Amino acid sequence: MRIVYIVLRLILGGMMLYGGVQKFQKPIPTPVEVVEKAEQFKAPEKEETLQKILYISGSKQTGYFWQVLGICELLFGLLLVLQKPGFIGAVFLLPITLHIFLFHLFLEADEVGELIQTGALFLINIALVLKEKEKWKQLLWLPI
């Protein structure tokens, strides 16, 4: 069973490393470029695409959020891959994997493959945290 958890850590850590690197691959578009791209999708039937474009572009336009997210994915993914500090990486990745899953659930529900993939990553993350419940359960269930 230990090998299964090692493989799960490597899968989740590898995906986070990949996602983190992708955040820095393309230059951040200017606000004018974002508006021009959004104009192409302002028709009512393209509203879902417009929501995704505005959400991601807005995250990039903050000047920090997209980069912080990428750094966190890289750092916490690395912690998972290194195995020893994997529990810390799994705990810190939990809100990130939840956010990624919810993004796909609410903004790309029609992309079933991506929804399954992100849901699986979130479930892997939960399993990795629950595996180590002895390390953190005293924080939640204090003895009386």
Side-chain angles (χ1 to χ4, degrees), residues 14-140:
M15 291 296 287
M16 291 298 111
L17 289 170
Y18 176 78
V21 167
Q22 293 301 310
K23 302 274 186 294
F24 299 101
Q25 291 294 317
K26 297 179 186 174
I28 294 176
T30 65
V32 173
E33 291 171 328
V34 172
V35 170
E36 288 173 356
K37 187 174 183 179
E39 287 288 323
Q40 300 170 10
F41 298 96
K42 66 181 181 180
E45 64 272 5
K46 297 180 180 179
E47 189 174 305
E48 289 180 12
T49 303
L50 180 61
Q51 284 178 322
K52 289 184 277 190
I53 289 169
L54 292 176
Y55 180 82
I56 292 173
S57 297
S59 298
K60 292 177 179 180
Q61 293 301 308
T62 62
Y64 74 92
F65 182 77
W66 198 248
Q67 294 83 355
V68 169
L69 181 59
I71 290 168
C72 287
E73 286 178 354
L74 286 169
L75 177 62
F76 305 149
L78 183 62
L79 290 175
L80 278 172
V81 170
L82 292 176
Q83 298 294 314
K84 273 287 192 195
F87 172 67
I88 294 169
V91 169
F92 287 145
L93 269 176
L94 203 53
I96 294 172
T97 57
L98 173 62
H99 180 264
I100 293 168
F101 173 67
L102 292 176
F103 170 84
H104 287 278
L105 180 65
F106 287 101
L107 295 177
E108 288 190 333
D110 57 325
E111 298 285 339
V112 178
E114 288 185 23
L115 190 58
I116 291 170
Q117 180 185 9
T118 58
L121 291 177
F122 181 54
L123 290 175
I124 288 170
N125 201 168
I126 290 172
L128 292 174
V129 171
L130 289 178
K131 177 192 176 286
E132 305 290 343
K133 70 180 177 219
E134 294 302 318
K135 292 182 179 178
W136 56 264
K137 79 175 187 178
Q138 66 272 12
L139 297 175
L140 301 178

